[in-house]
Amino acid sequence: MGKCDQCIVRQYTSMKALNKDEVIKLANCKTSYTVKKGDIIFSEGDPMNGVFCIKDGVCKLSKLTSSGKDQIVKISKRGELLGQRSMISDESANLSAIALEDMEICFIPKTEILGFFDDNNQFSMNMMKSVCGDLKTSDDHIISMAQKNVKSRLAETLLYLETNFGNNPDGSLHIQLTREELSGMIGTATESCIRLLSEFKKLGYIELDGKKTTIKDHSSLKKMAE
């Protein structure tokens, strides 16, 4: 899968602060592997013995609610680290990470990460900023769920999926969530989500073709999302 010093993804993460010797140490301790779509990277409650760096692909971070519904908290992509907060706080995983498409990831053991913490202040600062960024995203999501109605949240989520993960060549959203996953993201029943998607289609905001969703009227969705 290539060497750490040649990995462009390293520039997106806390790892960019590592010096040459530390990068060599990183390369010698990491484990690289491929994850297939639908595979579990880690599950809620698992001990976090390190962090996962996404080299390619997209995964969902979700939590199982008391009613057994899969609530998507975040979607993570290339260049992001998984499990850093739980590892630093020495807690088990608060969320499950499941691949939404085939992925390439690297696992870096906790002992090495904590070693970098001790020896490299800039690395520590970068990782703290990353964790704080995740917390801010979580706060924004909570505020959105509390203050916006379901229609606004659906419009916001569809625009978020396009802005952050792009489109397929045919114009449809690259990340194709199931109706259950989408309803979990906006905090409503699956039936309500299906009904709203149909309503958006009738209004000409989106186009639906099986699992594929294509945004047709961005300005109307933006107004609704505000």
Side-chain angles (χ1 to χ4, degrees):
M1 276 199 185
K3 298 177 181 176
C4 293
D5 61 342
Q6 297 167 356
C7 181
I8 190 71
V9 169
R10 190 167 61 87
Q11 297 305 314
Y12 304 146
T13 70
S14 316
M15 308 296 174
K16 65 186 174 187
L18 301 180
N19 61 41
K20 189 177 178 181
D21 288 342
E22 288 168 333
V23 172
I24 291 169
K25 191 182 286 186
L26 176 67
N28 288 334
C29 75
K30 73 172 173 66
T31 308
S32 303
Y33 54 100
T34 300
V35 178
K36 293 294 183 185
K37 180 179 179 178
D39 282 356
I40 297 170
I41 299 168
F42 56 83
S43 296
E44 192 177 336
D46 284 354
M48 293 307 296
N49 298 316
V51 296
F52 297 86
C53 178
I54 303 176
K55 188 174 181 186
D56 200 20
V58 177
C59 71
K60 64 176 180 179
L61 294 168
S62 61
K63 193 168 185 67
L64 206 60
T65 66
S66 56
S67 61
K69 190 175 176 66
D70 195 32
Q71 174 86 44
I72 295 181
V73 176
K74 187 185 177 189
I75 298 177
S76 292
K77 59 184 177 179
R78 184 176 190 248
E80 292 189 48
L81 296 178
L82 306 175
Q84 51 191 353
R85 190 200 62 79
S86 296
M87 185 208 69
I88 293 167
S89 60
D90 202 23
E91 296 172 343
S92 57
N94 186 44
L95 306 169
S96 295
I98 300 167
L100 288 173
E101 59 186 16
D102 290 353
M103 300 176 70
E104 286 183 17
I105 57 177
C106 296
F107 176 75
I108 305 149
K110 180 177 181 176
T111 49
E112 298 300 333
I113 296 288
L114 294 182
F116 297 149
F117 253 90
D118 291 339
D119 302 331
N120 189 320
N121 288 337
Q122 191 56 53
F123 171 81
S124 306
M125 183 62 71
N126 287 353
M127 188 161 275
M128 287 299 102
K129 283 181 179 177
S130 178
V131 171
C132 289
D134 285 344
L135 290 172
K136 181 181 182 298
T137 301
S138 179
D139 288 345
D140 290 344
H141 182 65
I142 290 168
I143 291 166
S144 174
M145 293 285 271
Q147 295 183 348
K148 293 185 177 182
N149 61 36
V150 182
K151 276 188 184 178
S152 296
R153 296 201 299 266
L154 178 57
E156 183 179 58
T157 300
L158 292 172
L159 291 167
Y160 160 80
L161 290 173
E162 182 174 74
T163 301
N164 288 275
F165 305 101
N167 302 95
N168 294 316
D170 63 2
S172 62
L173 297 178
H174 176 65
I175 297 298
Q176 299 292 339
L177 298 177
T178 66
R179 300 297 185 253
E180 290 78 15
E181 288 170 334
L182 196 53
S183 67
M185 277 195 82
I186 64 174
T188 191
T190 305
E191 299 76 23
S192 300
C193 180
I194 292 169
R195 196 162 52 246
L196 282 175
L197 286 170
S198 297
E199 186 180 324
F200 281 14
K201 181 182 178 181
K202 283 178 186 173
L203 291 166
Y205 297 168
I206 62 173
E207 195 175 274
L208 299 173
D209 180 13
K211 287 185 178 180
K212 289 186 177 182
T213 304
T214 306
I215 296 176
K216 306 302 285 185
D217 186 345
H218 290 80
S219 60
S220 292
L221 282 184
K222 282 175 186 173
K223 282 179 188 174
M224 189 174 283
E226 288 171 356

